[in-house]
């Protein structure tokens, strides 16, 4: 009998984590790799949050927590949703999980049946497709391009809907393109969705605060979308807390209760110390972490400026998150230093081996013409990395 399940055998390894592992391996061989592949702020968790965690340890928070999160944390999340997004949720609509990633896995686990279709505007975050497939869903990719700033139009959404469509999943600001949907663009999508009341939206807003033009909009803000939207958020990105593993949802109560039930059989809830620290993080004004966003903006402008000078990197201007997603198809079919580049994966590997810079192939995000470069790195590293890339492709 086969050792491993078909489910896991059919699942792709996370390309971002795979690239990070390869970069680590090369570093182990003594190579000076600049890592621009991971989606992780390079800042430390702010002191006021660390102090709250230390206090929680000293206060003996060491027992299992309620499966869906401490009541005080749910209150902080409710306050945050109201303050930052104009969204009103009751405690029974909130579930705290081990990162936004688990929120997404919970949602897929409780909502998808075999063959249900999930619309994913491309490029999408690397794990969406595999989380959907693992739960029996069928990803339906909607291709977007740099011409529409990698955003799906209402007409494209309408055309992708079939009687089997169960959900739409998207992130804004988007990982990997950095695109931010305006309120008007979300309204146009909502106008299509309200004609299909059986379709639910997963609005992944984990990069909400990393927005350089301001004015974050949540699709659940529209009254006619509220009951059909699951808003996903977390602290990994805005508070530089990736390893603390806390994410949360605001959802229709039935869905939240089902996530609670699933989580109760799988993790029993998120880490207690991290939950206590996040109460403090969310109760603070987002202005407390503005210094990180200001620095990301400086780096975004820097990397765009530097890439402008590299042949064959056609890049949109990302309004949020901390990635650029250049179209590098200019190099397809070309041979560089004896290596033929046939696709984005070849190109990304070429940059790793020849420029010693780790990026991620766009294929992992459903766009085979692009690569993702994270600028969650110091300005010196960004300058050096783009210099090396320029040399490697010239
Ligand atoms: C769009 C998007 N959603 C969700 C996640 C998962 O975040 P978390 O660390 O909270 O699991 C990430 C992390 O890279 C992301 O980029």
């Amino acid at each position: 009998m086969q050792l491993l399940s078909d489910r896991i055998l059919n699942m792709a390894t996370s390309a971002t984590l795979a690239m990070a592992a390869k970069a680590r391996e090369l570093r182990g061989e003594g190579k000076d790799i600049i890592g621009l592949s991971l989606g992780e702020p390079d800042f430390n968790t702010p002191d006021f949050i660390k102090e709250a965690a230390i206090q929680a340890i000293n206060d003996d928070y060491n027992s299992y927590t309620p499966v869906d999160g401490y009541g005080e944390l749910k209150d902080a999340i409710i306050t945050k949703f109201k303050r930052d997004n104009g969204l009103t949720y009751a405690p029974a609509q909130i579930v705290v999980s081990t990162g936004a990633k688990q929120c997404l896995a919970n949602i897929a686990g409780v909502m998808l049946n075999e063959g249900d279709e999930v619309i994913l505007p491309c490029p999408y975050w690397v794990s969406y497709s595999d989380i959907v497939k693992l739960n029996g869903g069928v990803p339906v990719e909607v291709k977007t391009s740099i011409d529409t700033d990698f955003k799906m139009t209402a007409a494209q959404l309408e055309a992708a809907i079939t009687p089997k469509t169960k959900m739409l999943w998207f992130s804004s600001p988007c990982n990997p393109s950095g695109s931010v949907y305006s309120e008007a663009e979300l309204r146009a999508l909502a106008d299509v969705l309200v004609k299909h009341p059986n379709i639910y939206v997963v609005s992944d807003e984990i990069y909400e605060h990393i927005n350089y033009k301001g004015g974050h909009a949540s699709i659940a803000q529209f009254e006619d979308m509220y009951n059909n939207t699951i808003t996903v958020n977390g602290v990994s990105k805005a508070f530089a807390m990736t390893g603390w593993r806390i994410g949360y949802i605001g959802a229709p109560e039935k869905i939240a209760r089902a996530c609670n039930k699933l989580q109760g059989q799988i993790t029993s809830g998120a880490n207690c110390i991290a939950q206590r620290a996040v109460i403090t993080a969310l109760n603070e004004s987002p202005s407390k972490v503005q210094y990180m966003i200001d620095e990301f903006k400086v780096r975004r402008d820097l990397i765009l400026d530097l890439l402008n000078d590299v042949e064959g990197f056609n890049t949109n201007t990302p309004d949020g998150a901390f990635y650029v997603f250049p179209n590098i198809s200019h190099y397809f079919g070309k041979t560089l230093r004896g290596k033929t580049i046939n696709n984005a994966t070849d190109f990304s590997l070429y940059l790793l081996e020849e420029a010693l810079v780790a990026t991620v192939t766009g294929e992992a995000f459903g766009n085979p013409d692009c690569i993702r470069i994270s600028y969650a790195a110091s300005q010196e590293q960004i300058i050096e990395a783009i210099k090396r890339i320029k040399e490697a492709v010239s």
Side-chain angles (χ1 to χ4, degrees), residues 39-40 98-102 104 125-126 128 171 173-175 204 206-207 232-237 241-243 245-247 323 372:
E40 174 154 65
T98 303
K101 207 176 223 175
Q102 196 203 355
L104 294 163
W125 181 49
V126 66
Y128 288 173
S171 62
C174 173
N175 175 4
D204 180 346
I206 193 148
Y207 292 94
V232 176
N233 212 322
V235 294
S236 285
K237 314 294 175 176
M241 294 180 75
T242 48
R245 310 305 304 124
I246 298 289
Y323 311 100
R372 190 190 76 174

